[in-house]
Coordinates of all heavy atoms in Angstrom, one line a residue:
M1 N 0.8 -1.2 0.0 CA 0.0 0.0 0.0 C 0.9 1.2 0.0 O 1.8 1.3 0.8 CB -0.9 0.0 1.2 CG -1.8 1.1 1.4 SD -3.1 1.0 0.1 CE -4.5 0.9 0.9
L2 N 0.7 2.2 -0.9 CA 1.4 3.3 -1.0 C 0.9 4.4 0.0 O -0.3 4.6 0.2 CB 1.2 4.0 -2.4 CG 2.1 5.2 -2.7 CD1 3.5 4.8 -2.7 CD2 1.7 5.7 -4.1
Q3 N 1.9 4.9 0.8 CA 1.6 5.9 1.9 C 1.5 7.3 1.2 O 2.2 7.6 0.4 CB 2.6 5.8 2.9 CG 2.7 4.5 3.7 CD 3.7 4.6 4.7 OE1 4.5 5.5 4.8 NE2 3.8 3.4 5.5
P4 N 0.4 8.1 1.7 CA 0.3 9.4 1.2 C 1.6 10.2 1.4 O 2.3 10.1 2.5 CB -0.8 10.0 2.0 CG -1.6 8.8 2.5 CD -0.6 7.7 2.7
G5 N 2.0 11.0 0.5 CA 3.2 11.9 0.7 C 4.5 11.3 0.2 O 5.5 11.9 0.0
L6 N 4.5 9.9 -0.1 CA 5.7 9.2 -0.5 C 5.7 9.2 -2.0 O 4.7 8.9 -2.7 CB 5.8 7.9 0.0 CG 6.0 7.7 1.5 CD1 6.1 6.3 1.9 CD2 7.4 8.4 1.9
P7 N 6.8 9.6 -2.7 CA 6.8 9.5 -4.2 C 6.6 8.0 -4.6 O 7.2 7.1 -4.0 CB 8.1 10.0 -4.5 CG 9.0 10.0 -3.3 CD 8.0 10.0 -2.2
S8 N 5.9 7.9 -5.8 CA 5.7 6.5 -6.3 C 7.0 6.1 -7.1 O 7.9 7.0 -7.5 CB 4.5 6.5 -7.2 OG 4.8 7.2 -8.4
F9 N 7.1 4.9 -7.4 CA 8.2 4.4 -8.3 C 8.2 5.2 -9.6 O 9.3 5.5 -10.1 CB 8.0 2.9 -8.5 CG 9.1 2.4 -9.4 CD1 10.4 2.2 -9.0 CD2 8.8 2.0 -10.7 CE1 11.4 1.7 -9.9 CE2 9.7 1.6 -11.7 CZ 11.1 1.4 -11.2
K10 N 7.0 5.3 -10.2 CA 6.9 6.1 -11.4 C 7.5 7.5 -11.3 O 8.3 8.0 -12.2 CB 5.5 6.1 -11.9 CG 4.9 4.8 -12.3 CD 3.5 5.0 -12.7 CE 2.8 3.7 -13.0 NZ 1.4 3.9 -13.4
T11 N 7.2 8.2 -10.3 CA 7.6 9.6 -10.1 C 9.1 9.5 -9.9 O 9.8 10.5 -10.4 CB 7.0 10.2 -8.9 OG1 5.5 10.1 -9.0 CG2 7.3 11.6 -8.7
K12 N 9.7 8.6 -9.2 CA 11.1 8.6 -9.1 C 11.9 8.3 -10.3 O 13.1 8.6 -10.3 CB 11.5 7.4 -8.1 CG 11.0 7.7 -6.6 CD 11.4 6.5 -5.7 CE 10.9 6.7 -4.3 NZ 11.3 5.6 -3.5
L13 N 11.2 7.8 -11.4 CA 11.9 7.6 -12.7 C 12.3 9.0 -13.4 O 13.2 9.0 -14.3 CB 11.2 6.7 -13.6 CG 11.0 5.3 -13.1 CD1 10.0 4.5 -14.0 CD2 12.3 4.6 -13.2
V14 N 11.6 10.0 -13.1 CA 11.9 11.3 -13.8 C 13.2 11.7 -13.7 O 13.9 11.9 -12.5 CB 10.8 12.4 -13.3 CG1 11.1 13.7 -14.1 CG2 9.4 11.9 -13.6
G15 N 13.9 12.0 -14.8 CA 15.3 12.5 -14.8 C 16.3 11.4 -14.8 O 17.5 11.6 -14.9
K16 N 15.9 10.1 -14.7 CA 16.8 8.9 -14.6 C 17.1 8.4 -16.0 O 16.3 8.4 -16.9 CB 16.2 7.8 -13.8 CG 16.3 7.9 -12.3 CD 16.1 6.7 -11.6 CE 16.4 6.9 -10.2 NZ 16.5 5.7 -9.5
S17 N 18.4 8.0 -16.2 CA 18.8 7.3 -17.4 C 18.4 5.9 -17.2 O 18.6 5.2 -16.2 CB 20.3 7.4 -17.6 OG 20.7 8.7 -17.8
V18 N 17.7 5.3 -18.2 CA 17.2 3.9 -18.1 C 17.4 3.2 -19.5 O 17.8 3.9 -20.4 CB 15.7 4.0 -17.9 CG1 15.4 4.6 -16.5 CG2 14.9 4.6 -18.9
I19 N 17.2 1.9 -19.5 CA 17.1 1.0 -20.6 C 15.8 0.4 -20.7 O 15.3 -0.1 -19.7 CB 18.3 0.0 -20.6 CG1 19.6 0.6 -20.5 CG2 18.2 -0.9 -21.9 CD1 20.7 -0.4 -20.2
V20 N 15.1 0.6 -21.8 CA 13.7 0.1 -21.9 C 13.7 -0.9 -23.1 O 14.4 -0.7 -24.1 CB 12.7 1.2 -22.1 CG1 12.6 2.1 -20.9 CG2 12.9 2.0 -23.3
K21 N 12.9 -1.9 -22.9 CA 12.6 -2.9 -24.0 C 11.0 -2.7 -24.2 O 10.3 -2.9 -23.3 CB 12.9 -4.3 -23.6 CG 12.5 -5.4 -24.6 CD 13.0 -5.2 -26.0 CE 12.7 -6.4 -26.9 NZ 11.3 -6.3 -27.5
L22 N 10.6 -2.4 -25.4 CA 9.3 -2.2 -25.7 C 8.8 -3.3 -26.7 O 9.6 -3.8 -27.6 CB 9.1 -0.8 -26.4 CG 9.6 0.3 -25.6 CD1 9.7 1.5 -26.5 CD2 8.7 0.6 -24.5
S23 N 7.5 -3.6 -26.7 CA 6.9 -4.6 -27.5 C 7.0 -4.1 -29.0 O 6.9 -5.0 -29.9 CB 5.5 -5.0 -27.2 OG 4.7 -3.8 -27.2
L24 N 7.2 -2.9 -29.2 CA 7.2 -2.3 -30.6 C 8.5 -2.6 -31.3 O 8.5 -2.5 -32.6 CB 7.0 -0.7 -30.5 CG 5.8 -0.3 -29.8 CD1 5.9 1.3 -29.5 CD2 4.5 -0.6 -30.5
F25 N 9.6 -2.8 -30.6 CA 10.9 -3.1 -31.2 C 11.5 -4.3 -30.8 O 11.2 -4.8 -29.7 CB 11.8 -1.9 -30.8 CG 11.5 -0.5 -31.4 CD1 10.8 0.4 -30.6 CD2 11.8 -0.2 -32.7 CE1 10.3 1.6 -31.0 CE2 11.4 1.0 -33.2 CZ 10.7 2.0 -32.4
S26 N 12.4 -4.9 -31.6 CA 13.1 -6.1 -31.2 C 14.3 -5.9 -30.3 O 14.9 -6.9 -29.9 CB 13.4 -6.9 -32.5 OG 14.3 -6.1 -33.3
R27 N 14.6 -4.6 -30.1 CA 15.8 -4.3 -29.3 C 15.5 -3.3 -28.3 O 14.5 -2.7 -28.3 CB 17.0 -3.9 -30.2 CG 16.8 -2.5 -30.9 CD 17.9 -2.2 -31.7 NE 17.8 -0.8 -32.3 CZ 18.5 0.1 -31.9 NH1 19.5 0.0 -31.0 NH2 18.4 1.4 -32.5
A28 N 16.4 -3.2 -27.3 CA 16.2 -2.2 -26.2 C 16.9 -0.9 -26.5 O 17.7 -0.8 -27.4 CB 16.8 -2.8 -24.9
F29 N 16.4 0.2 -25.8 CA 17.0 1.5 -26.1 C 17.3 2.1 -24.8 O 16.6 2.0 -23.8 CB 16.0 2.4 -26.8 CG 15.6 1.9 -28.2 CD1 14.5 1.1 -28.4 CD2 16.4 2.3 -29.3 CE1 14.2 0.7 -29.7 CE2 16.1 1.9 -30.5 CZ 15.0 1.1 -30.7
S30 N 18.4 2.9 -24.7 CA 18.7 3.7 -23.6 C 18.4 5.1 -23.8 O 18.3 5.5 -24.9 CB 20.3 3.6 -23.2 OG 21.0 4.1 -24.4
G31 N 18.1 5.8 -22.7 CA 17.6 7.2 -22.8 C 17.3 7.7 -21.4 O 17.6 7.1 -20.4
T32 N 16.6 8.8 -21.4 CA 16.3 9.5 -20.2 C 14.8 9.7 -20.1 O 14.1 10.1 -21.1 CB 16.9 10.9 -20.1 OG1 18.4 10.6 -20.1 CG2 16.7 11.5 -18.7
I33 N 14.1 9.4 -19.0 CA 12.7 9.7 -18.8 C 12.6 11.2 -18.3 O 13.3 11.6 -17.3 CB 12.1 8.7 -17.7 CG1 12.2 7.3 -18.3 CG2 10.7 9.2 -17.3 CD1 11.7 6.3 -17.3
T34 N 11.8 11.9 -19.0 CA 11.7 13.3 -18.7 C 10.3 13.7 -18.1 O 10.3 14.8 -17.4 CB 11.8 14.2 -20.0 OG1 10.8 13.8 -20.9 CG2 13.2 14.0 -20.6
A35 N 9.4 12.9 -18.1 CA 8.1 13.1 -17.5 C 7.3 11.7 -17.4 O 7.5 10.9 -18.2 CB 7.3 14.2 -18.3
V36 N 6.5 11.7 -16.4 CA 5.6 10.5 -16.1 C 4.3 10.9 -15.8 O 4.0 11.9 -15.1 CB 6.3 9.6 -15.0 CG1 5.4 8.5 -14.6 CG2 7.6 9.2 -15.3
D37 N 3.2 10.1 -16.3 CA 1.9 10.3 -15.8 C 1.3 9.0 -15.4 O 2.1 8.0 -15.4 CB 1.0 11.0 -16.8 CG 0.7 10.3 -18.1 OD1 1.0 9.1 -18.2 OD2 0.3 11.0 -19.1
E38 N 0.0 8.8 -15.3 CA -0.6 7.6 -14.8 C -0.4 6.4 -15.9 O -0.4 5.2 -15.6 CB -2.0 7.7 -14.5 CG -2.3 8.5 -13.2 CD -1.5 7.9 -12.0 OE1 -1.7 6.7 -11.8 OE2 -0.8 8.6 -11.3
T39 N -0.4 6.8 -17.2 CA -0.5 5.8 -18.2 C 0.8 5.6 -19.0 O 0.9 4.6 -19.8 CB -1.6 6.1 -19.2 OG1 -1.3 7.4 -19.8 CG2 -3.0 6.1 -18.5
G40 N 1.8 6.5 -18.8 CA 3.1 6.4 -19.6 C 4.1 7.3 -19.3 O 4.0 8.0 -18.2
F41 N 5.1 7.5 -20.1 CA 6.2 8.4 -19.8 C 6.8 8.9 -21.1 O 6.7 8.4 -22.2 CB 7.3 7.7 -19.0 CG 7.9 6.4 -19.6 CD1 9.0 6.4 -20.3 CD2 7.2 5.2 -19.6 CE1 9.6 5.3 -21.0 CE2 7.7 4.1 -20.2 CZ 8.9 4.1 -20.8
C42 N 7.4 10.2 -20.9 CA 8.2 10.8 -22.0 C 9.6 10.3 -22.0 O 10.1 10.3 -20.8 CB 8.1 12.2 -21.9 SG 6.5 12.9 -22.4
F43 N 10.1 9.9 -23.1 CA 11.4 9.3 -23.2 C 12.2 10.0 -24.2 O 11.8 10.1 -25.4 CB 11.2 7.8 -23.5 CG 12.4 6.9 -23.5 CD1 13.1 6.7 -22.3 CD2 12.8 6.3 -24.6 CE1 14.2 5.9 -22.3 CE2 14.0 5.5 -24.6 CZ 14.6 5.3 -23.4
V44 N 13.5 10.3 -23.9 CA 14.4 11.0 -24.9 C 15.5 10.0 -25.1 O 16.2 9.6 -24.2 CB 14.9 12.3 -24.4 CG1 15.9 12.9 -25.3 CG2 13.8 13.3 -24.1
S45 N 15.6 9.5 -26.3 CA 16.6 8.6 -26.7 C 17.0 8.8 -28.2 O 16.1 8.6 -29.1 CB 16.1 7.1 -26.6 OG 16.9 6.2 -27.2
D46 N 18.3 9.2 -28.4 CA 18.7 9.4 -29.8 C 18.6 8.1 -30.6 O 18.2 8.2 -31.8 CB 20.2 9.9 -29.8 CG 20.3 11.2 -29.2 OD1 19.4 12.0 -29.3 OD2 21.4 11.6 -28.8
A47 N 18.9 6.9 -30.0 CA 18.8 5.6 -30.8 C 17.3 5.3 -31.2 O 17.1 4.9 -32.2 CB 19.4 4.5 -29.9
M48 N 16.4 5.6 -30.3 CA 15.1 5.3 -30.5 C 14.6 6.3 -31.6 O 13.8 5.9 -32.5 CB 14.2 5.4 -29.4 CG 12.7 5.1 -29.6 SD 11.6 5.2 -28.2 CE 12.0 3.6 -27.5
I49 N 15.0 7.6 -31.5 CA 14.6 8.5 -32.5 C 15.1 8.1 -33.9 O 14.4 8.2 -34.9 CB 15.0 9.9 -32.2 CG1 14.4 10.4 -30.9 CG2 14.9 10.9 -33.3 CD1 12.9 10.4 -30.9
S50 N 16.3 7.6 -33.9 CA 16.8 7.2 -35.3 C 16.1 6.0 -35.7 O 15.7 6.0 -37.0 CB 18.3 6.7 -35.1 OG 19.1 7.8 -34.8
A51 N 15.6 5.0 -34.9 CA 14.8 3.9 -35.4 C 13.5 4.4 -35.8 O 13.0 3.8 -36.9 CB 14.7 2.9 -34.2
L52 N 12.9 5.3 -35.1 CA 11.5 5.9 -35.5 C 11.6 6.6 -36.8 O 10.7 6.5 -37.7 CB 10.9 6.7 -34.4 CG 10.5 6.0 -33.2 CD1 10.1 7.0 -32.1 CD2 9.2 5.2 -33.5
R53 N 12.8 7.3 -37.0 CA 13.0 8.0 -38.3 C 13.0 7.0 -39.5 O 12.4 7.3 -40.6 CB 14.2 8.9 -38.2 CG 14.0 10.2 -37.4 CD 15.2 11.0 -37.6 NE 15.3 12.1 -36.6 CZ 14.5 13.2 -36.7 NH1 13.7 13.4 -37.6 NH2 14.6 14.2 -35.7
E54 N 13.6 5.9 -39.3 CA 13.7 4.9 -40.3 C 12.2 4.3 -40.6 O 11.9 4.1 -41.8 CB 14.6 3.7 -39.9 CG 16.1 4.1 -39.8 CD 17.0 2.9 -39.3 OE1 16.5 1.8 -39.4 OE2 18.0 3.2 -38.9
I55 N 11.5 4.1 -39.5 CA 10.2 3.5 -39.7 C 9.2 4.5 -40.3 O 8.5 4.1 -41.2 CB 9.6 3.0 -38.3 CG1 10.4 1.9 -37.8 CG2 8.1 2.7 -38.5 CD1 10.1 1.5 -36.3
T56 N 9.3 5.8 -39.9 CA 8.2 6.7 -40.4 C 8.6 7.5 -41.6 O 7.9 8.2 -42.2 CB 8.0 7.8 -39.3 OG1 9.2 8.5 -39.0 CG2 7.5 7.2 -38.0
G57 N 9.9 7.3 -42.1 CA 10.3 8.0 -43.4 C 10.3 9.5 -43.1 O 10.9 10.0 -42.2
T58 N 9.6 10.2 -44.0 CA 9.6 11.7 -44.1 C 8.7 12.3 -43.0 O 8.7 13.4 -42.8 CB 9.2 12.2 -45.4 OG1 7.9 11.7 -45.7 CG2 10.2 11.7 -46.5
A59 N 7.9 11.4 -42.4 CA 6.9 12.0 -41.3 C 7.6 12.7 -40.2 O 7.2 13.8 -39.7 CB 6.0 10.9 -40.7
M60 N 8.8 12.3 -39.8 CA 9.6 12.9 -38.7 C 10.7 13.8 -39.2 O 11.5 14.4 -38.4 CB 10.1 11.9 -37.8 CG 9.0 11.2 -36.9 SD 9.8 10.0 -35.8 CE 10.8 11.0 -34.7
A61 N 10.8 14.1 -40.5 CA 11.9 14.8 -41.1 C 12.1 16.2 -40.6 O 13.2 16.7 -40.3 CB 11.8 14.8 -42.6
N62 N 10.9 16.9 -40.3 CA 11.0 18.3 -39.8 C 11.0 18.4 -38.3 O 10.9 19.5 -37.8 CB 9.9 19.1 -40.5 CG 10.1 19.2 -42.0 OD1 11.2 19.2 -42.4 ND2 8.9 19.2 -42.8
M63 N 11.0 17.4 -37.6 CA 10.8 17.4 -36.1 C 12.3 17.5 -35.6 O 13.1 16.7 -35.8 CB 10.2 16.2 -35.5 CG 8.7 16.2 -35.9 SD 7.9 14.7 -35.1 CE 7.7 15.4 -33.5
S64 N 12.6 18.6 -34.8 CA 13.9 18.7 -34.2 C 13.7 18.4 -32.7 O 12.8 18.8 -32.1 CB 14.4 20.1 -34.3 OG 13.6 21.0 -33.8
A65 N 14.6 17.6 -32.2 CA 14.7 17.1 -30.8 C 13.3 16.6 -30.3 O 12.8 17.0 -29.4 CB 15.1 18.3 -29.9
P66 N 12.9 15.5 -31.0 CA 11.6 14.9 -30.6 C 11.7 14.2 -29.3 O 12.7 13.6 -29.0 CB 11.2 14.0 -31.7 CG 12.4 13.7 -32.4 CD 13.4 14.9 -32.2
S67 N 10.6 14.2 -28.5 CA 10.5 13.3 -27.3 C 9.4 12.4 -27.6 O 8.4 12.7 -28.2 CB 10.1 14.2 -26.1 OG 10.0 13.4 -25.0
V68 N 9.5 11.1 -27.1 CA 8.6 10.1 -27.4 C 7.7 9.8 -26.2 O 8.3 9.7 -25.1 CB 9.4 8.8 -27.8 CG1 8.3 7.7 -28.1 CG2 10.2 9.1 -29.1
Y69 N 6.4 9.7 -26.4 CA 5.6 9.3 -25.2 C 5.3 7.8 -25.4 O 4.9 7.3 -26.4 CB 4.2 10.1 -25.2 CG 3.3 9.7 -24.1 CD1 3.5 10.2 -22.9 CD2 2.4 8.7 -24.2 CE1 2.7 9.9 -21.8 CE2 1.6 8.3 -23.2 CZ 1.7 8.9 -22.0 OH 0.9 8.5 -20.9
L70 N 5.6 7.0 -24.3 CA 5.4 5.6 -24.4 C 4.5 5.2 -23.3 O 4.7 5.4 -22.1 CB 6.8 4.9 -24.1 CG 7.9 5.2 -25.2 CD1 9.2 4.6 -24.6 CD2 7.5 4.6 -26.5
P71 N 3.4 4.5 -23.7 CA 2.4 4.0 -22.7 C 3.1 2.8 -21.9 O 3.9 2.0 -22.5 CB 1.3 3.4 -23.5 CG 1.4 4.0 -24.9 CD 2.9 4.3 -25.0
F72 N 2.9 2.7 -20.6 CA 3.4 1.6 -19.8 C 3.0 0.3 -20.4 O 3.7 -0.7 -20.3 CB 3.0 1.7 -18.4 CG 3.7 2.8 -17.7 CD1 3.0 3.9 -17.2 CD2 5.1 2.8 -17.5 CE1 3.6 4.9 -16.5 CE2 5.7 3.8 -16.8 CZ 5.0 4.9 -16.3
S73 N 1.9 0.2 -21.1 CA 1.4 -1.1 -21.7 C 2.3 -1.7 -22.8 O 2.3 -2.8 -23.0 CB 0.0 -0.9 -22.2 OG 0.0 0.1 -23.3
T74 N 3.2 -0.8 -23.4 CA 4.1 -1.3 -24.4 C 5.4 -1.7 -23.8 O 6.3 -2.2 -24.5 CB 4.4 -0.2 -25.5 OG1 5.0 0.9 -24.8 CG2 3.1 0.2 -26.1
L75 N 5.6 -1.5 -22.5 CA 6.9 -1.8 -21.8 C 7.0 -3.3 -21.5 O 6.1 -3.9 -20.9 CB 7.0 -0.9 -20.6 CG 8.2 -0.8 -19.8 CD1 9.4 -0.3 -20.6 CD2 8.0 -0.1 -18.5
E76 N 8.1 -3.9 -22.0 CA 8.3 -5.3 -21.6 C 9.2 -5.3 -20.4 O 9.0 -6.1 -19.4 CB 9.0 -6.0 -22.8 CG 8.1 -6.3 -23.9 CD 8.7 -7.1 -25.0 OE1 9.7 -7.7 -24.8 OE2 8.1 -7.2 -26.1
W77 N 10.2 -4.5 -20.3 CA 11.1 -4.3 -19.1 C 11.8 -2.9 -19.1 O 11.9 -2.4 -20.2 CB 12.1 -5.5 -18.9 CG 12.9 -5.9 -20.0 CD1 12.7 -6.9 -20.9 CD2 14.2 -5.3 -20.5 NE1 13.7 -7.0 -21.8 CE2 14.7 -6.0 -21.6 CE3 14.9 -4.3 -20.1 CZ2 15.8 -5.8 -22.2 CZ3 16.1 -3.9 -20.7 CH2 16.5 -4.7 -21.8
L78 N 12.2 -2.6 -18.0 CA 12.9 -1.3 -17.7 C 14.0 -1.5 -16.7 O 13.8 -2.2 -15.7 CB 11.9 -0.3 -17.3 CG 12.5 1.1 -16.9 CD1 11.4 2.2 -17.3 CD2 12.8 1.3 -15.5
V79 N 15.2 -1.0 -17.0 CA 16.4 -1.1 -16.1 C 16.7 0.3 -15.7 O 16.9 1.2 -16.5 CB 17.6 -1.8 -16.8 CG1 18.7 -1.8 -15.9 CG2 17.2 -3.2 -17.3
S80 N 16.8 0.5 -14.4 CA 17.3 1.8 -13.9 C 18.3 1.5 -12.8 O 18.3 0.4 -12.3 CB 16.1 2.6 -13.3 OG 15.5 2.1 -12.2
S81 N 19.0 2.5 -12.4 CA 19.9 2.3 -11.3 C 19.9 3.5 -10.3 O 19.5 4.5 -10.7 CB 21.3 2.0 -11.8 OG 21.9 3.2 -12.4
E82 N 20.3 3.2 -9.1 CA 20.5 4.2 -8.1 C 21.9 4.4 -7.8 O 22.8 3.4 -8.2 CB 19.8 3.9 -6.9 CG 18.3 3.9 -7.1 CD 17.5 3.9 -5.8 OE1 18.1 4.3 -4.8 OE2 16.3 3.5 -5.8
S83 N 22.3 5.6 -7.4 CA 23.7 5.7 -7.0 C 24.1 4.7 -5.9 O 23.2 4.2 -5.2 CB 24.0 7.1 -6.5 OG 23.3 7.3 -5.2
K84 N 25.4 4.4 -5.8 CA 25.8 3.4 -4.8 C 25.5 3.8 -3.4 O 25.1 3.1 -2.5 CB 27.3 3.1 -5.0 CG 27.6 2.4 -6.2 CD 29.2 2.1 -6.3 CE 29.5 1.3 -7.6 NZ 30.9 1.0 -7.7
A85 N 25.5 5.1 -3.2 CA 25.3 5.7 -1.8 C 23.8 5.5 -1.5 O 23.4 5.1 -0.4 CB 25.6 7.2 -1.8
A86 N 22.9 5.7 -2.5 CA 21.5 5.6 -2.2 C 21.2 4.1 -2.0 O 20.3 3.7 -1.2 CB 20.7 6.1 -3.4
A87 N 21.8 3.2 -2.8 CA 21.6 1.8 -2.7 C 22.1 1.2 -1.4 O 21.5 0.4 -0.7 CB 22.2 1.0 -3.9
A88 N 23.2 1.8 -0.9 CA 23.8 1.3 0.4 C 22.9 1.7 1.6 O 22.9 1.0 2.6 CB 25.2 1.9 0.5
S89 N 22.1 2.8 1.5 CA 21.3 3.2 2.6 C 20.0 2.5 2.7 O 19.3 2.7 3.8 CB 21.0 4.7 2.5 OG 20.2 5.0 1.4
V90 N 19.6 1.6 1.8 CA 18.4 0.9 1.8 C 18.5 -0.3 2.7 O 19.4 -0.8 3.0 CB 18.0 0.5 0.4 CG1 16.8 -0.4 0.4 CG2 17.7 1.7 -0.5

């Protein structure tokens, strides 16, 4: 049970570098989570943007510095880490 006033796991992901594997792609991507809501998160990843540019062709040609919104339902797994100091205090 989540206690009021404590940040959720989702909220703690904002600003973290992570590796994600999505059902949409056969490989994983590293990047940074920039925002989270109840159903998904905004993800900045140069490698994912390159893959999306290949898939979408000219649709993304004029977009500079795109951020991708990913629903949690497409997430197969996510790897994040905490600093050694934070992990040692747990």
Side-chain angles (χ1 to χ4, degrees):
M1 182 67 121
L2 186 63
Q3 296 177 354
L6 291 179
S8 70
F9 175 76
K10 291 177 186 178
T11 305
K12 290 179 182 180
L13 290 173
V14 175
K16 283 197 173 194
S17 294
V18 297
I19 302 170
V20 297
K21 171 64 175 78
L22 307 165
S23 58
L24 307 170
F25 294 98
S26 60
R27 65 185 187 107
F29 296 94
S30 62
T32 303
I33 295 178
T34 58
V36 175
D37 66 14
E38 292 300 314
T39 59
F41 56 99
C42 288
F43 186 65
V44 176
S45 167
D46 291 337
M48 181 178 281
I49 295 302
S50 294
L52 287 170
R53 286 189 194 281
E54 289 177 21
I55 293 169
T56 61
T58 59
M60 289 181 63
N62 294 327
M63 294 183 81
S64 60
S67 178
V68 179
Y69 180 83
L70 299 169
F72 287 115
S73 61
T74 64
L75 189 63
E76 289 185 15
W77 49 262
L78 179 144
V79 177
S80 67
S81 66
E82 294 195 21
S83 67
K84 291 182 181 182
S89 67
V90 174

